[in-house]
Structures are given as C-alpha cells and as structure tokens.
Amino acid sequence: PLPTHLVGDDVEVMCIDGEIRQYLSLDFAASTSPLPEVLERVVEYMPNYSSVHRGAGYKSQVSTQVYEGARRAILRFCGKQDLDDGSTLADSDGQDGYSAIICRNTTEAINHLAFRLGLGKDDIVVTTVVEHHANLLPWRRYCQVRYVECDSQGTFDAQDVRRELSVSPRPSLLAITGASNITGWSPDLTEIIPLAHELAVPVLVDCAQLAPHRKIPADADFVVFSGHKIYAPFGGGALVGPTKYFTHGEPFLAGGGAVDLVDLDEVLWSAPPDREEAGSPNVVGALALQGAIEYFESVGFESVEDHDRTISRYLHSGLRARPYVTVLGPDIDDLLPVATFVVDSMPHSLVAARLSCEFAIGVRHGCFCAHPYLTRLLGLSNEEVDRFRDQVRRGDRSSSPGAVRASGGISTRLEDIDRFLDAIDSIVSSRDLDSNYVQDIVSGEYSLANESLEWYGQGGQDLACGHS
C-alpha cells in the first residue's frame, strides 16, 4: 500500500487567525519530503559513514558497498538490466553497456551531459518549448538548438517531433521531458523514442517529474532524475547513459577520485563512472536514492499510477468546476497530479500567500522555471512579454506573469484536495482580506502588511508565508 504519511506531515503551524493547523504540502512537483523508510535507512547507516573507494578501513569498505549498491539500483530503476541473467549492463572497464553517474540533481546531470557530448557551434540539439529551464539552458551554451513547438493546450505529438528531427542538418540529440512540471502532461515517449532512433538520433529524457509517477522508459539513451523529487531529498541525483560517451575526453569535473595517475604535465583519467565523479561522493544522497528506488520497486508503479489518476482527476475536476479559476494545459484524463491555474483578477503571488498564511497550505507560484512554456499557456503576446521583461530589468516584478500550481504525491488524499479547494473558495469570497497583505515591488511577493498580524514563533510554531 502507498504511504499515508511522509516525514514532516505532522508539522503544525499557527495561522493568522490564531488557529493551529496541520501543514499541507501541495508542492510535490518542486520537492518531496522523505519517505520514512528512506530516512530510517539513512539514520541506520550514519554510524558507518566514511569516504568511499580505496579506503582500507571497515567503515570505508561499508560505505563503498553502500555507494556502489546505489549505483546498481539506479541502473535497474532506469531499465538498464540484462533480462536474461538479471545483471546490470554497466561495464566500468570498457565501452559496452551503461554507466550511472551520481550527481546532485537533474540540472547538474544535464549540464554534465551537455559538456561530455563534446558538442560544437555547428551541432544541433532538438528540444521542446515544454521543457524546464534545466533542459533548455545547458544546450544553448554549446550548440545550436531547435525547438518543437506546442499547441494552445501546451501539447505536441510524435509527428511534430519527427518534423523537427528530419530538418537538415541532422541533430546530435533529442532532449525531451518525460512530463511537464506545469501541466502534468506527458508526451508519448513510446512513439517518440523509437522514431528518433529510426532517424539515428539518440534521446535524453528528463525524468525529474516522471520518475516519482511513472516507470522510466527503458529505451531512452540517456536518463536524468533527482532524489528530491522521489522522496529522497538528500542531495542525490543521477545521469545514466551509454558508457562509451564517458570513456574518452576530459570529465565535467576535474579532481581527486577521477584519476589513476597525475604528474605536473599529464593526467591519466580513471574509467567511468569514477572518471565522472571527482571529489568526495555524496554517499548519503546515493543511499537515499537507493531507498526510494527500492520502495517504488516494492509497491510497483501500477499502484502509484492508480493513485495518481484518482488524485489528478479529483484535483482537476474540482478546479475546473469553479468559474473563477482557469486551469492551464490540456483537459485530458491521463495527467500527473499537477494542476496550474490562475484566479480571476487576483495575483498569483497573493493567492499563494493567502493559502499559506490563512490555511497552512503550501503551493508553488510564479513561472516554475519554464518561462517559454508558461507564456504560451497564458497566451501572452510578444509585446506583453517584452513589456514584462523591461519591467524586470528595472527591478519591478509587481506585475510579472505567473500562475499557481498545486501538486500531489503518493501520500496525498482526497480530503487534502477538499481542504485546498475549500481554501480557494474562501479566498475568493473574502477579497476584503486582501488588504492584510502588501506586495514587495522588487520580488513581486506578498507578505502581511500589519505587523500585529505576524505570527512567527508564536507557540513555538513558524510558518513561511508565500515565499515558495
């Protein structure tokens, strides 16, 4: 069964009406609290913490086993496994198979890959306008980028991708999201990945949003994901790809642990994956990743998908039934439990602040590190975008476009969605309370206007208001 409780779910906060309420996180798409099983595994390991690799001491040996065990779990999680004998396809000493590189998060993983592919100014990477900035900006540093456009609902299909991949010159890579962090929509990777391979284009799938909700596509050439999205927020993430791409050339990071021999004129780099992990590895983050992966393996993604579908339908139908709410993105059945919306005539940052200060509900607001996608979903013209850009350059974010995002996870219940929807209704019906809040022009954020309403520290309880 899926958990009904995550670490921190019992935190209580005092709201501005003096009532103490249990904190409700509807911000799973940003970061997740740890599973109790993950935290327990970390705590049990900590007495044996030590540096990994080459240490002869008992703790170092234990830590090395823990770290390499996490690497094997990551490969298994990404479907890089020999189905005949169950062994992983990683080959540290040669160019066959796949390597799992343990890093901090998805952003670092994509930057790492963008460097290691050795792309030049004449190379092409195809990506989409749906992407998080992590899958847009790194490519622009090294090469030319072509974009698959979306329709007014924020979607595209396999043929849209095919058209962009077929344009000459042939791209070196297709870098595509597994699921949008704004709409919860997933492109049809079961069709897109094979067609890219037909055109001899390797595929990177950004699984940051997908990994906690759906099985990672095993036929992707490269996969990236973050621990803090899959209930293991201890600073671990992963890049998985064919070992041959990491065998030659200099690594992304240079330093100890990535070398076999160094003198003042020459360096002999280690074989991957060690070659790609300079510095002291994050053993705790790796162990947490393994704990989360093994949790998903134990419950099975069928259970997760069933739960997601129930929560998503309830959340979307509830929001769409309210005439003063506009939900962004497609109105389709198979969405992740993510809903991004605007409330008529109410700034997104004020909605988020009031949910926090009055109801102890944490949501996300703004542009969600996906500016090109959000401007399309909001239907903003080029002139409007230019005007907002000029305002930001002057240090004024008071009218910057954005929306509010509510996102659930494996512990979200239907009653949580009811509580959230009731809070939205209350906010809209009590607009006179808007005057309790004042906006900071530079940040665009709202906070309480009357110092007498501040509640920080009352009863030993704190609540961060609106700054999500």
Side-chain angles (χ1 to χ4, degrees), residues 352-354 356-357 437 445-448 455-456 463-468:
R354 291 195 58 184
S356 179
C357 295
Y437 300 84
E445 302 288 349
Y446 281 84
S447 58
L448 290 167
W455 71 96
Y456 296 106
L463 177 61
C465 173
H467 301 291
S468 35

Side-chain angles (χ1 to χ4, degrees), residues 48 50-65:
N48 287 314
S50 183
S51 58
V52 306
H53 302 147
R54 296 174 304 283
Y58 170 79
K59 288 186 177 183
S60 183
Q61 293 293 311
V62 169
S63 296
T64 297
Q65 291 177 14

Side-chain angles (χ1 to χ4, degrees), residues 86-110:
S87 63
T88 62
L89 290 174
D91 180 1
S92 298
D93 300 319
Q95 297 187 37
D96 297 329
Y98 288 79
S99 288
I101 298 161
I102 300 172
C103 47
R104 292 186 304 155
N105 48 44
T106 300
T107 299
E108 182 176 286
I110 296 176

Side-chain angles (χ1 to χ4, degrees), residues 188-373:
D188 186 0
L189 297 178
T190 61
E191 187 174 354
I192 290 172
I193 294 175
L195 78 81
H197 289 164
E198 287 175 17
L199 298 170
V201 178
V203 181
L204 159 72
V205 179
D206 174 357
C207 292
Q209 290 298 323
L210 188 69
H213 300 284
R214 300 288 188 272
K215 194 172 183 179
I216 288 175
D219 54 347
D221 301 278
F222 301 96
V223 167
V224 292
F225 65 94
S226 297
H228 72 97
K229 307 282 192 189
I230 61 169
Y231 311 96
F234 291 86
L239 162 62
V240 173
T243 302
K244 64 183 180 181
Y245 287 94
F246 308 109
T247 302
H248 303 289
E250 294 193 357
F252 181 52
L253 296 176
V259 297
D260 287 334
L261 181 66
V262 175
D263 62 26
L264 298 183
D265 300 311
E266 185 181 11
V267 57
L268 296 180
W269 300 105
S270 301
D274 292 350
R275 183 192 199 100
E276 305 299 322
E277 295 178 353
S280 296
N282 179 5
V283 187
V284 174
L287 175 63
L289 274 177
Q290 181 180 1
I293 288 168
E294 292 179 354
Y295 164 80
F296 280 109
E297 290 173 336
S298 68
V299 301
F301 270 102
E302 184 176 347
S303 298
V304 176
E305 289 182 28
D306 288 345
H307 172 78
D308 283 349
R309 224 170 266 116
T310 299
I311 296 299
S312 180
R313 289 168 179 166
Y314 200 66
L315 173 61
H316 277 265
S317 63
L319 285 171
R320 292 181 187 275
R322 286 157 168 78
Y324 50 81
V325 169
T326 301
V327 179
L328 306 181
D331 185 7
I332 59 177
D333 197 44
D334 193 23
L335 298 172
L336 302 188
V338 178
T340 299
F341 62 96
V342 293
V343 176
D344 291 350
S345 304
M346 193 169 189
H348 55 90
S349 51
L350 180 56
V351 175
R354 291 195 58 184
L355 283 170
S356 179
C357 295
E358 298 169 31
F359 301 95
I361 297 174
V363 295
R364 181 80 26 170
H365 71 92
C367 293
F368 317 107
C369 295
H371 294 182
Y373 190 36

Side-chain angles (χ1 to χ4, degrees), residues 68 148 189 415 427:
E68 294 304 329
V148 177
L189 297 178
E415 49 262 47
I427 287 171

Side-chain angles (χ1 to χ4, degrees), residues 2-6 9 24-28 213 231 307-308 310-312 314-315 337 406-418 420:
L2 298 182
T4 58
H5 179 81
L6 298 175
D9 280 354
L24 171 59
S25 174
L26 288 177
D27 198 17
F28 284 75
H213 300 284
Y231 311 96
H307 172 78
D308 283 349
T310 299
I311 296 299
S312 180
Y314 200 66
L315 173 61
S407 54
I410 53 178
S411 62
T412 304
R413 304 164 299 169
L414 294 181
E415 49 262 47
D416 296 331
I417 305 302
D418 285 333
F420 163 72

